[in-house]
Amino acid sequence: MKKKLLSLLLALSGFYTYGQLQVGLESNSQWYVDDNKIKLSENDAEERFRSGNYLKADYYLKKWEFGVQLESYAPKAPMNYNELFDKFNVGTIYTRFNDTESGVDATVGHFYDQFGSGLAFRSWEDRQLGINNAVFGARINYTFADQAIKSTLLGGRQRIGMGFDLAKSMLYGANLEVSLSDLMSMEDFELALGASYVLRYENITDLFPNADKTTTVTSARVDLGKGGFHWGVEYAFKSKDLPVEFFEIQNDLPKRSGSALLMNMGYSQKGFGVTANLRRMENFSFYSERGLAGNLYNQGVVNYIPALTKQYDFSLQNIYVYQAQPNLTFIPLEKSGEIGGQVDLFYTFEQGSPLGGQFGTEIALNGSYWSGLKNSNVDLETRNMDVEFLEFGQKYYSDLGIEITKRWTEKWDTKFSYLKQYYHKKYVEDTFGEVNSHFVGAEATYRFGTAQSVRLQGQHIWVDEDKKNWAGAMLEYNLNSTYGFFVNDIYNYGNEEEEQKIHYYNVGMSYTKSKTRVSVSYGRQRGGLLCVGGVCRMVSEAAGLTVGISTAF
């Protein structure tokens, strides 16, 4: 035993001597309880303690990199996670060779990547949403011409569960990015071109004779920039494929192609900035397996199409959040993709000006509008409709908001927010109702020193339908850089059903030291959409204790 221990210590010391080892641990656990307002369903109550745990180790040796991520969802994954995330297994494993001098970067095993904006391809991990769409296979990046030209070739199978649970299909991809401004030594002008190609090979002709074995997405993009101006556009085309209705592939319905158009533009200078994002999508969801289309866990998603709306800070602003609507559907609703966009404007009143005061004042305006594409000549029997390219149809969502941030003294600063929203639940959530809401929120932060502070927040939303009005408050106290405490509550006091007038309270604390953070909280979770970066999943109402631990060494 002593010899084995000595051998292990010698091996670990060798790692540190000849390379660099980095280890990270993250654990998120919940103990769910029933209280007088919220009770788990019979199925969820079978296991009240749930956890998600991730141990990631990366070893760097000169031009080589080796990594593995071990995952445990024992005794069961957190509620609303993919049921395939189960027990303990290898999550990802890889070997990478990266030579910056030659421009060669090659990976074998699991990898993450993104082509352009992600319209054609993106593989990524988000533990908060329970997403891990890594690809298991091989990828090679080659950069040359002083990094002005970057190319990627990849192939493999996408992760859809734990360990080596992989999609039955194969994914192949190619990406090319060329900086013409670097090639031609343009110092005051930026011009870049890009192109992507992704192919899915899925042979299901035994069950669905009309299905093509291959489906492709091809995209092209251009980006321009000069001074404070920037402009970019990307267009992607998806080849014809069989439709999926109610999670079932429709072999006898006509195939249909898809497309997406994304445009970004903006201007910025000192104290001022404006950006606009416009997007049109028609029949543009893309999964590694056709049968996964529309699943609740974003399982097997090949491309990245988040909602292009502002990500808000106040909890009541995130009750009615928009989800991207890329699909063309006929049943249960006639939906023809989406078209819309958002505009952000930022302005800073300078210090010493009448509105800027001693420390300046920041103002941010945001507005977005999303609707379905206008359609006509709908035929439910043949599943056909005529879709206009740039005409707006049924309204899905809109918002208009303003945020004002002001520092009054070295210790005091405040933020005020107003938001007006329209939300069509029928088309966004496939439920019922149209919602119009008005939100106001304010917060104040007072700093006692470099690390000690107290933050107070109040918010209210007026809603004409659905669950009606809400009010909320939050108090956060940071004793120092190590200890923090908080208590918050949102209350659905306007609900017309007395038993649904619920306080969703939470009280907790956090401990942070160096690279280690521990958080503990107890309270209730509001059911509905949970969104991170414009990607959402549904969560159930729940109550209980939550413990989070993260560390690195």
Side-chain angles (χ1 to χ4, degrees):
M1 181 67 182
K2 291 182 178 179
K3 291 183 178 180
K4 291 182 179 179
L5 182 58
L6 180 59
S7 299
L8 178 60
L9 291 174
L10 288 173
L12 290 175
S13 64
F15 282 157
Y16 286 102
T17 302
Y18 297 105
Q20 181 181 9
L21 178 65
Q22 294 182 355
V23 180
L25 172 67
E26 180 178 335
S27 176
N28 300 292
S29 301
Q30 291 86 30
W31 177 269
Y32 299 102
V33 302
D34 293 335
D35 60 24
N36 62 337
K37 286 288 188 178
I38 298 177
K39 291 179 171 54
L40 296 184
S41 67
E42 184 177 342
N43 182 56
D44 289 331
E46 292 179 357
E47 186 57 71
R48 292 186 175 272
F49 177 74
R50 301 168 181 242
S51 67
N53 305 280
Y54 311 87
L55 178 63
K56 191 174 189 301
D58 297 287
Y59 178 64
Y60 303 89
L61 179 62
K62 296 182 179 180
K63 299 177 181 179
W64 290 89
E65 179 181 337
F66 308 89
V68 62
Q69 178 169 293
L70 304 179
E71 300 178 14
S72 170
Y73 302 91
K76 199 170 183 179
M79 284 174 53
N80 308 117
Y81 271 50
N82 189 341
E83 294 181 356
L84 294 177
F85 288 174
D86 186 38
K87 305 305 180 185
F88 172 82
N89 212 322
V90 175
T92 59
I93 187 168
Y94 73 93
T95 298
R96 180 183 178 188
F97 173 79
N98 186 14
D99 184 2
T100 56
E101 293 180 1
S102 66
V104 174
D105 180 359
T107 302
V108 176
H110 289 92
F111 58 84
Y112 305 99
D113 211 325
Q114 178 171 321
F115 294 170
S117 68
L119 278 179
F121 172 77
R122 186 193 187 199
S123 57
W124 82 102
E125 178 188 33
D126 192 306
R127 296 170 183 173
Q128 187 175 354
L129 293 176
I131 296 175
N132 193 321
N133 292 332
V135 175
F136 182 77
R139 176 195 62 186
I140 182 167
N141 298 324
Y142 182 48
T143 303
F144 54 100
D146 291 331
Q147 298 189 351
I149 302 178
K150 301 177 181 180
S151 61
T152 300
L153 292 174
L154 61 84
R157 297 168 62 190
Q158 191 176 46
R159 173 183 168 174
I160 59 173
M162 275 290 286
F164 295 97
D165 292 337
L166 304 174
K168 297 176 182 179
S169 66
M170 285 291 296
L171 292 175
Y172 302 95
N175 186 63
L176 180 66
E177 297 180 355
V178 180
S179 174
L180 295 178
S181 53
D182 288 344
L183 284 175
M184 295 183 285
S185 300
M186 301 178 184
E187 296 183 358
D188 59 348
F189 185 76
E190 296 181 7
L191 173 60
L193 304 177
S196 304
Y197 178 81
V198 180
L199 181 147
R200 178 191 65 198
Y201 179 86
E202 184 187 19
N203 187 0
I204 55 173
T205 53
D206 289 345
L207 296 175
F208 306 97
N210 293 331
D212 293 327
K213 296 180 181 180
T214 61
T215 308
T216 63
V217 171
T218 307
S219 74
R221 55 192 176 273
V222 58
D223 291 284
L224 302 172
K226 183 175 175 58
F229 290 95
H230 70 270
W231 177 84
V233 62
E234 181 173 5
Y235 178 79
F237 178 81
K238 177 186 172 184
S239 64
K240 288 186 177 182
D241 197 10
L242 287 176
V244 177
E245 291 185 352
F246 302 107
F247 307 106
E248 293 186 2
I249 301 169
Q250 304 299 310
N251 182 72
D252 298 324
L253 293 181
K255 303 172 187 176
R256 192 152 189 149
S257 60
S259 63
L261 175 66
L262 174 65
M263 185 178 298
N264 304 304
M265 60 195 78
Y267 173 76
S268 63
Q269 62 178 17
K270 183 179 179 180
F272 174 77
V274 59
T275 62
N277 310 107
L278 308 173
R279 186 173 66 192
R280 176 202 186 272
M281 293 193 295
E282 177 186 348
N283 191 34
F284 203 68
S285 62
F286 192 27
Y287 292 80
S288 54
E289 291 183 9
R290 294 170 175 90
L292 294 173
N295 74 87
L296 299 175
Y297 310 109
N298 292 290
Q299 177 189 8
V301 173
V302 176
N303 56 351
Y304 180 63
I305 44 177
L308 294 182
T309 58
K310 183 178 175 63
Q311 309 301 300
Y312 292 103
D313 297 328
F314 291 87
S315 56
L316 294 184
Q317 290 176 311
N318 291 287
I319 294 180
Y320 302 106
V321 287
Y322 181 69
Q323 292 188 91
Q325 304 291 312
N327 296 327
L328 185 149
T329 62
F330 293 84
I331 297 177
L333 295 172
E334 299 169 10
K335 298 166 67 175
S336 47
E338 72 170 17
I339 183 171
Q342 68 167 335
V343 177
D344 287 286
L345 187 147
F346 309 91
Y347 187 79
T348 299
F349 292 97
E350 295 182 353
Q351 300 179 13
S353 65
L355 294 178
Q358 183 180 356
F359 297 95
T361 302
E362 299 176 359
I363 183 170
L365 294 170
N366 175 270
S368 66
Y369 184 97
W370 293 95
S371 75
L373 292 162
K374 186 176 181 180
N375 60 67
S376 59
N377 300 323
V378 178
D379 190 328
L380 293 180
E381 183 175 351
T382 63
R383 298 295 196 276
N384 188 43
M385 70 170 70
D386 295 329
V387 180
E388 301 297 333
F389 190 74
L390 290 177
E391 291 194 41
F392 289 74
Q394 173 65 53
K395 183 179 179 181
Y396 293 162
Y397 175 88
S398 68
D399 65 15
L400 181 63
I402 182 172
E403 285 187 355
I404 301 173
T405 303
K406 172 69 176 176
R407 171 167 288 190
W408 300 93
T409 68
E410 292 285 353
K411 297 182 177 181
W412 274 105
D413 60 65
T414 59
K415 180 169 71 174
F416 170 81
S417 180
Y418 168 79
L419 177 67
K420 180 182 184 298
Q421 285 178 300
Y422 169 84
Y423 184 82
H424 205 314
K425 290 173 65 71
K426 180 178 179 181
Y427 287 89
V428 179
E429 298 182 12
D430 293 335
T431 55
F432 298 97
E434 297 179 58
V435 174
N436 290 279
S437 66
H438 294 268
F439 166 90
V440 293
E443 72 174 39
T445 302
Y446 182 78
R447 285 171 291 277
F448 298 93
T450 57
Q452 189 177 14
S453 66
V454 62
R455 182 163 67 108
L456 179 64
Q457 187 182 92
Q459 52 186 312
H460 188 279
I461 186 170
W462 292 266
V463 186
D464 63 351
E465 294 290 341
D466 196 36
K467 297 182 179 182
K468 300 298 180 66
N469 297 352
W470 297 69
M474 184 272 292
L475 176 64
E476 179 183 87
Y477 173 60
N478 293 309
L479 178 62
N480 47 43
S481 61
T482 302
Y483 294 98
F485 305 86
F486 75 90
V487 57
N488 64 53
D489 180 32
I490 56 173
Y491 178 38
N492 188 199
Y493 75 91
N495 202 305
E496 295 178 346
E497 299 182 26
E498 191 66 29
E499 65 276 12
Q500 295 299 317
K501 293 182 177 181
I502 300 177
H503 282 275
Y504 295 93
Y505 61 85
N506 271 279
V507 58
M509 66 167 294
S510 65
Y511 169 85
T512 305
K513 190 70 172 179
S514 185
K515 297 181 180 180
T516 298
R517 187 178 191 276
V518 179
S519 62
V520 180
S521 65
Y522 180 85
R524 292 169 174 168
Q525 172 183 279
R526 177 186 64 83
L529 288 173
L530 170 67
C531 302
V532 178
V535 179
C536 307
R537 70 176 174 93
M538 293 296 296
V539 297
S540 304
E541 284 195 338
L545 178 72
T546 299
V547 178
I549 302 172
S550 64
T551 187
F553 50 89

